Amino acid sequence: MPTFTAADGTRLAYHLRGEGETLAVLPGGPMRASAYLGDLGGLTAHRRLALLDLRGTGDSATPADAATYRCDRMVEDVEAWRSHMGLQRMDLLAHSAGAALATLYAARYPQRVRRLLLVTPNPSALGLRATPQDRLAAAALRTDEPWFADAFPAFRTWLAGDADFDDVFLPFFYGRWDDTARAHAEAEAEQTNDDAGAHYFADGAFTPDATRAALAALRAPVLVHAGEVDGGPRPDLARRAARAFPGAEFAVQPGAGHYPWLDDPQWFLSRALAFLDRPADPVLP
């Protein structure tokens, strides 16, 4: 397990899986260890995945200052990681809340991004957020599921702020509620640093107007990949996020939820490789 040291002295770890050209990967959660990403639907057969454990998660150390868990404060961790790996520019994939970090990184270091793939992204860095109404509308697409009658009322109550999170509505986050999804969901509590997650979206983390302006300098190809039945973001919100990136592509995976590589690995893999396998621009001096 390779490690490197962040600017503040925190030791950060990442995991290498697969063979081929390096694809740097930022996890979501927020602040969930990268283990939940698995092999990303089989991408390890085509790329060497470098999966970062953000500070305070997985095998990375806990920082001395909890304020450094704020999303914008970790942009320099990503830049230190890129430099440590010896990549002049990097292909970068980010999932969910990790996409907010990747967006800030691309805005601050556009010349260091070769390709950017945002999977079911949280678009908070762009001033966009999924609403309870978005999540309920996506949930309403699942009325034919055998678990819907029990899950939907509890989900609606939680979104209204009148109840705590209930595992009964976990199926809404997956396109297929099968044994694979259940095992994935059960691992979340152990893999997630909730205290760190509470700092991730703290006040001051995002300046959307400045970020949007800075992204105008990004020349890297961008793909925003949404799930058809995902509520955070719904495809329409993900499409709006894609418009912030010059010339970005947009894809919706049929039947997929928030973890599309689990719902239909082959569909996810085919679309990801169609994007990643295109010739990249020449490396800038």
Side-chain angles (χ1 to χ4, degrees), residues 167-238:
D167 287 353
V168 72
F169 52 72
L170 280 172
F172 285 127
F173 295 92
Y174 296 84
R176 296 187 308 174
W177 188 238
D178 54 13
D179 289 344
T180 297
R182 290 185 183 92
H184 190 264
E186 287 171 2
E188 182 173 7
E190 183 177 349
Q191 293 171 341
T192 303
N193 184 337
D194 289 328
D195 291 337
H199 292 274
Y200 192 81
F201 294 116
D203 290 346
F206 306 119
T207 52
D209 290 344
T211 297
R212 287 173 177 270
L215 287 173
L218 182 67
R219 297 292 177 260
V222 178
L223 171 62
V224 176
H225 186 107
E228 182 184 23
V229 298
D230 187 18
R234 294 190 73 198
D236 181 63
L237 182 60

Side-chain angles (χ1 to χ4, degrees), residues 51-128:
L51 302 113
L52 181 63
D53 282 339
L54 301 179
R55 51 180 54 220
T57 71
D59 291 310
S60 288
T62 300
D65 182 2
T68 62
Y69 289 133
R70 202 174 74 174
C71 184
D72 61 316
R73 300 282 297 273
M74 289 190 284
V75 170
E76 294 307 318
D77 290 353
V78 180
E79 175 59 4
W81 182 40
R82 178 205 62 78
S83 178
H84 162 81
M85 291 191 292
L87 302 173
Q88 186 167 0
R89 293 193 301 166
M90 62 181 173
D91 291 340
L92 183 61
L93 181 153
H95 173 243
S96 189
L101 177 56
T103 297
L104 294 183
Y105 179 81
R108 191 177 301 178
Y109 293 101
Q111 75 280 12
R112 296 304 187 186
V113 180
R114 188 169 66 166
R115 301 181 184 91
L116 180 61
L117 174 49
L118 303 177
V119 180
T120 57
N122 182 309
S124 295
L126 301 170
L128 303 172

